[in-house]
Amino acid sequence: MGREDLMSAAEDAADQFLRVTKQYLPHVARLFLISTFLEDGIRMWFQWSEQRDYIEATWSCGYFLATGFVLLNLIGQIGGCVLVLSRNLVQYACFGLFGIIALQTVAYSILWDLKFLMRNLALSGGLLLLLAESRSEGKSMFAGVPSMGQSSPKQYMQLGGRVLLVLMFMTLLHFDSSFFSILQNMVGTALIVLVAVGLKTKLAALTLVLWLLAINVYFNAFWTVPSYKPMHDFLKYDFFQTTSVIGGLLLVVALGPGGVSVDEKKKDW
């Protein structure tokens, strides 16, 4: 069996998967995507004092401002998740969650940590895809914006979402000389380029979903670490952030790459 036969068989398998799961996949994608916000909102409730004291000590902002920060994160994240899952005011919920990401990026000094910054940008990419999906369901917030065919705002949201999503994989590259690391880097880089440019997008995104699922369960198994150890919280944070990026990739699989992609342009050739 040649390379083209293998690719054709893989694409047929991906199409079959989509046919079987098309009614459920968008719901699973949304649940995965908001999982990190839901977990963080719940954590704000159970670690209220610790989070408030950290913000107060770090920024010397006083008790009331620190309390407001924690309260805003709790209500903003859980409220946004409820709206997304119930399919109500999804676009407003997305903008609210964008605000939470920006707020936490500054408050927790993520801006100066490249790895965490790239992961937050990847999470923003997932929200962009969710925003694009919501534009195809009901009245758009941008109804006054004139349509330009393939160059509509939705298409650029999908493009931006795809490009930002692949930043997660940049944080997984290992720069050492072992055969496994080199192979993983080569395959991973090829897949993220395919997703970014929109070539064989659904197959590449589905492959990345399987890859990330395996990595997430193996490397971020927070349930194997006692809850009183700091590593438990670090692994839990990574696990749910990665799960959210998986949700974004599942949206790519469910919705396709959009108009600004090689796959779409190939239809005109």
Side-chain angles (χ1 to χ4, degrees), residues 121-149:
L121 289 172
L123 192 56
S124 299
L127 287 177
L128 263 181
L129 291 170
L130 185 59
L131 193 58
E133 183 209 21
S134 71
R135 284 175 54 80
S136 63
E137 299 179 353
K139 189 176 180 179
S140 168
M141 287 176 62
F142 304 99
V145 178
S147 174
M148 295 178 289

Side-chain angles (χ1 to χ4, degrees), residues 252-268:
V252 173
V253 174
L255 301 176
V260 188
S261 64
V262 176
D263 284 341
E264 193 66 25
K265 299 303 180 186
K266 282 170 63 179
K267 296 177 182 178
D268 301 328

Side-chain angles (χ1 to χ4, degrees), residues 115 119 168 172 212-225 231-232 234-243:
K115 177 181 176 180
R119 291 192 172 196
M168 166 62 79
L172 300 176
L212 258 191
L213 275 172
I215 289 175
N216 204 24
V217 172
Y218 183 77
F219 289 106
N220 296 326
F222 65 89
W223 52 88
T224 64
V225 180
M231 184 56 68
H232 176 90
F234 284 119
L235 291 177
K236 193 174 184 180
Y237 174 83
D238 277 356
F239 179 87
F240 282 102
Q241 273 223 326
T242 305
T243 300

